[in-house]
Structure formats: structure tokens, C-alpha cells
Amino acid sequence: MTLIRAMFIILCMANRYDESNIKSLSSLEHIRLRPGMYIGRLGNGSHVDDGIYILLKEVIDNSIDEFIMGAGSRITITVLDNVVTVRDYGRGIPLGKIVECVSVINTGAKYDSEAFQFSVGLNGVGTKAVNALSSSFTVTSYRDGEMASATFEKGIQKGRTKKGQTSEPNGTLISFTPDPEIFPDYSFNDDFIQERLWNYAYLNTGLTIEYNRKTIRSQHGLLDLLGKDVGNEMLYPIIHYKGRQMEFALTHTSSYGESYFSYVNGQHTSDGGTHLAAFKEGVLKGVNEFFKKNWNAPEIRDGIAGAISVKIQNPIFESQTKNKLGNTEVRTWIVNEVKEAVVDALMKNQETAASLLNKITTNERIHKEESAVRNGAREMAKKVSINIPKLRDCKYHLNSYPKSKENEALSSMIFLTEGDSASGTITKTRNVETQAVFSLRGKPYNVFGKTRKAIYENEELYNIMVALGLENNDFDNLRYSKVVIATDADTDGFHIRNLLMTFFLTFFDEIVTSGRLYILETPLFRVRNKQVVTYCYSEKERDATMAQMKNPEVTRFKGLGEIDPKEFGQFIGDDIKLVPVTIDSASEVRRKMQFYMGSNTPERREYIMENLV
């Protein structure tokens, strides 16, 4: 047999496609094989949307559904050594269907509008995904003096279902441990969990959540949520409205931009959707109707802080993780109800109306000043270059690239890098389809305490804004799914990182609150010998790695530009490590920025001297 014929036979075998290639998987096997289809990102617990928190959410959602239906006002949750336990005091899963409800896909009571009117859960998928992606999973139901319990491992039931008598009150108990095969090296972040549980409490007044012996409860719903977020920054008392299917709260601060929390059936829709758009429109119409004006949206909404929660029977989300609502039929009634509520609130409170009017007229004046400066900046930019200086865009945003590729849109990111050396390294190794690079000229201007006019007067900040698509201060035009700060791991790099975060938090905080601002984590050390190479992200990792090697050689990476491009590629590839920039509350962020970035040099110097190690 000739070599060419042998190669031809091997090629044909490799490309064989017949009945033997067709595989049938059980529903839970499919979940384990393609977990991202069901829970979104996997992660290791370092991000609030990582998979382990989605598993916890799906179990709690079912307990919340019981509360919504008037059954059970208390939920007890413990997370200890990666074992999660959730006990509610609702109606309890019907004992004869306890196994099917947690192991057979598309099985559940959420399809019955009489049993569940405004469901939070995944309509027959949620607990199945938890079961399939857990190394151990146990479900127990208590109903009217009887109980049933079943245990699973990776979605497979172990032993028979246990049944018997019980003195436990009605409800459901679920315990699970996320499978380390699916979520390697994961750990739960207590702050992330508490934030999520507080959101449940704000959205379900009267519900008591006991988490690791802490009590979480809200008496005034979204009023409490927004009050905690803005603190003393509010310009007038929060306008709070609660109807049968909608609740909202709003106020204004002296800050720039718009800040919103939005929810559907208790689900935090971080990307908003039709309900949030309708809420914004209702506020605009209500304010204009009350003052008998025709202001544009920026004049009314700049500086607004709002929260909206709606309940609808058949929500349509754009993805399984339900970050954005797509129902168009909700627009009309939300717009009208919000408009009428805003008008009513302003009519009843003249001081609030006066404060709002003052804020709007201030916005008008500032926007006119900005407009003149912005037009000048645009003309200057045209003289310098047709393109944005220092931007190496990705193909997704070039005219020749098809805009219909949604996966590229979701994964597109821009690196804001420190100087030409670092940007050169990233540019040589990036994914040109989805990764863009913007090179900073030096340390950005500190904009804390400045007006938005400062952006248009500063060439570099203006170019950053244009590169991101935010020239008109419209967050909906943000060109990238992720904005990544990529600086060196030294004092200058940390300073640049803080200046950029100040820029975004001051003028474009919605980038942060929507979870789109990240910090690129790159290794500080390379530890290697003739057999193995290990990259370490801390001194502790370096020391532990050195202790396991013979004759190790250690390299300290001081800057991104020092890492060889071929070596650097792995750090921005599939295993890229991105640390999300998150905030607890807007008022706390402003307080910290005042201290660290404001003009309080003596206080800052004293703090540094007292805490110098």
C-alpha cells in the first residue's frame, strides 16, 4: 500500500459520518456535557455570576415561589465547607413526584398557572441542573406528617427513595455540593451570597431569610434597596410606588449618568430589557406632563437612581440565565402606570417637585456647556485623525465583519493598556476577532470632582470615550461586552488602575453596575525547571511552587511588556483571569473616592503613615 493511499484511508476514517456517530444522551448527561447552556459561565466563585451561585439561586428561587404563593415566610440557608443547604416552609414537593422533580427535565409545577402564577424558577430545569452538576445532592419533602427523601450523585440516584412519618413542618429541604469536576478549585464568596439574599428580601417584603445564623429581612422593599445604595446622596426623598404587578423607587443624586436595578419575577435582570426601557420612558413622560415641558431624556434622567420590579406570567428572556427581558407587550401598561405614579407623587409633594426641577435645570445648563466643548473636541479629533488614535479594534467592530454573530458580541472586549510596550504584547497575541486594544499615553487625568466637560477637554479621555462608543453618553451604545483594565503589577500600574476606575465610576458608572468593567490578572512570577513551568499570581503561590520543585528558576514579571508575546497569549486566551470591579453601594463608593482620589492630601498622608508596613 502506497503512503498516499494509506493517508487517504486514514482521512476517510477520520471524516466518517454514519449511524455510529449519532449519540443519545439523557437530559442530565447533556447538562453535565454542556453546563454552559444551562447555567451560563462556570468560573471558580470569584465572580458574582459564576455557576456555583447560579446553582444556589435556582434552589432558592423555588423557595421564593412558595412564598409568592403565600406558603412559607421563612427560608433557612447554610453554606459550610462548600455544602449548601436550603430549607423552606412552603407546601413541600408532592411526595410521589419528588424524584422526577429533580431529575427529569421539563418536569415541574411551574407550567400550571394555578399552582404558580409568577414563577421565578426555570420552569422544569433549575433543580435538575443543580442535581446534575453536584457531586452529591439530596432532596427531602415534608407534607402533612409524611416525608420522602432521595439522594443523588452527579444526577444519578443512589439507593431507593426513603418514605416515612415525620413531625417536621411542611416544606422542602435540599442539600448539595457543587461537583469539583465541573467547577475546579471553587469557593463561595460570602459577600456575593449575602448581596443576592438581600435582593431576595428587598423584592419580597415579609420574607425572613436566615443565612448562617444571620437574619435578612426588608420591611419596605425597593425603598430600602435604593436607600441603602444612595445613602445621604439623594437630592430629595425617594419616590416609592407599589402596585399589583409593579413596584418602583427613584430619586436623583448630584452624580452623572443613570443607575438602575431591575427585576422580573424576583430575577435580577442585569442587562435590563423592555420593562426597564418602559420604566425610563414612563419617568420621562410623567415629569414632562407634571411640569408641562418637553425636556429630552438626558435633562431628566442624568443623575437618576432607580429600581423597578415587575411580575409577569410568561416572561421571555434572551438567555437561560435571564439577564434581559424580551416581552414587548409589557411596555404600554408599565409606561402608563409609571407616568401616573410619578405625576401623583410630584403633585403630593411640592418640595420634591422643586428639588427635581432644580436638578433638571442644572442638567440643562451643564449639558449646554458640554455641548459647546464636545463640538470643539470633535472638530479637533477630525483634524488629528479619522480613526481613534491608539485603538487597535477587533474585527467584530470593523465594517467588513458580519454584525450578526451574537457570540462574538457577547465575548467582545477592549483592553485599556499601559503604554506601547504592553499594548504591543497584547496586540501580537490577542484574538483579533473579538479583542481590541487601546494604548494609554501615560497616567490618565484624575477626574474626581470634575464635570463631564473635563472629558472633552482631555484628549486621551475623549478618545477612550469615543473608542467605547460613549461619545453621546448613551450606555446602550457601549461597543464591547467587557472593558478590561490591563496595567503592570507595580505602583504606577495600580495608580493608573485607580485613575481609570475613577473615570468610569464618576461618569459611566453603569459600566460598573452592569458588570462590564474588569481588571486583567496576569502572573507575577514564572517558576520553572527542566521538567515543568508554573505561573504564580502571588508570593504565596510562588513559595509553594518552589517548595515542590528541584532547582527552580524564578522570574518576576514587573510589566506586561516584559512577558514574551508567545508566552503571554495564554493569559488572554480561553483561561483568561478577569477580576470584576463591583460596588456595594453608590454612596460608599463616592466616600472612598473622596478619600483616595479627592484633594484631602493631609488626611491621606496621615492614613498612609499610620498603616505603612
Side-chain angles (χ1 to χ4, degrees), residues 206-217:
L207 172 67
T208 298
I209 300 176
E210 297 173 358
Y211 168 63
N212 286 356
R213 298 185 177 181
K214 300 173 185 175
T215 300
I216 297 174
R217 182 182 175 89

Side-chain angles (χ1 to χ4, degrees), residues 233-252:
E233 300 290 326
M234 66 182 74
L235 297 180
Y236 54 84
I238 295 172
I239 296 174
H240 183 222
Y241 168 83
K242 190 168 186 178
R244 191 178 70 86
Q245 286 186 250
M246 179 179 65
E247 179 185 5
F248 74 79
L250 71 89
T251 186
H252 277 78

